[in-house]
């Protein structure tokens, strides 16, 4: 899990669940004493925040196990502090023609560019990923 400076998601999600009468408990992976695949599958689903967890292979493990995986449908995570952004690495040394790709991946401060590239990520395009746009939608899906 990478440090994202937005909010305490576990506390927020558990509070929303409790206050609305949902029988759901959200946990962080780091709090699980048993991190085996079998134990993960004993849970109802996984909530994955792109670019938050350094070990993104966990995302692929979840979907390959057919573990219901929920991902927020937003490109905002490309802006996370200490995530995959311009402070960490040069995005690419190849600049394709603008006719081929209208936005450069290096345009970190261009919202349209971030949205364009978000639509090409595995988080967005893989059919087994359950995308949600709001907390009410997530809770309805769960």
């Amino acid at each position: 899990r990478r440090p994202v400076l937005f909010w305490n998601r576990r506390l927020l999600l558990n509070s929303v669940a409790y206050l609305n009468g949902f029988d759901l408990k959200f946990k962080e992976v780091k709090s699980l004493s048993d991190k085996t695949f079998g134990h993960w599958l004993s849970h109802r689903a996984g909530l994955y925040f792109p670019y938050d967890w350094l070990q993104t292979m966990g995302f692929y493990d979840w979907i390959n196990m057919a573990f219901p995986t929920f991902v927020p449908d937003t490109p905002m995570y490309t802006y996370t502090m200490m995530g995959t952004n311009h402070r960490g690495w040069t995005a690419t040394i190849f600049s394709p023609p603008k006719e081929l790709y209208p936005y450069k991946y290096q345009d970190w401060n261009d919202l349209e560019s971030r949205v364009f590239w978000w639509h090409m990520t595995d988080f967005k395009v893989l059919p087994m990923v359950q995308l949600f746009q709001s907390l009410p939608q997530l809770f309805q899906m769960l």
Side-chain angles (χ1 to χ4, degrees), residues 11 22 25 35 42 71-72 82 87 90 92-93 112 138:
L11 178 61
F22 287 97
K25 295 283 186 217
K35 295 181 178 78
S42 70
V71 175
M82 297 178 67
R87 289 178 292 276
T90 302
T92 180
I93 58 173
E112 287 184 42
L138 171 65

Side-chain angles (χ1 to χ4, degrees), residues 44-62:
R44 180 184 292 187
L47 179 55
Y48 194 90
F49 292 93
Y51 305 105
D52 183 34
W53 194 10
L54 180 60
Q55 293 79 17
T56 53
M57 292 310 295
F59 168 77
Y60 297 105
D61 291 337
W62 288 6

Side-chain angles (χ1 to χ4, degrees), residues 125-140:
V125 301
L126 290 176
M128 63 287 293
V129 176
Q130 302 294 311
L131 296 170
F132 65 94
Q133 296 179 345
S134 67
L135 282 183
Q137 184 183 22
L138 171 65
F139 279 84
Q140 182 181 19

Side-chain angles (χ1 to χ4, degrees), residues 92-110:
T92 180
I93 58 173
F94 173 69
S95 294
K98 198 158 185 83
E99 304 80 45
L100 183 60
Y101 290 106
Y103 300 101
K104 291 184 178 180
Y105 193 72
Q106 301 100 313
D107 292 338
W108 296 104
N109 297 319
D110 180 356

Side-chain angles (χ1 to χ4, degrees), residues 1 8 13 31 45 70 79-80 82 98 115 119 128 134:
R1 188 172 87 71
N8 182 329
L13 292 165
S31 72
F70 293 82
Y79 291 107
T80 58
M82 297 178 67
K98 198 158 185 83
V115 171
H119 285 283
M128 63 287 293
S134 67

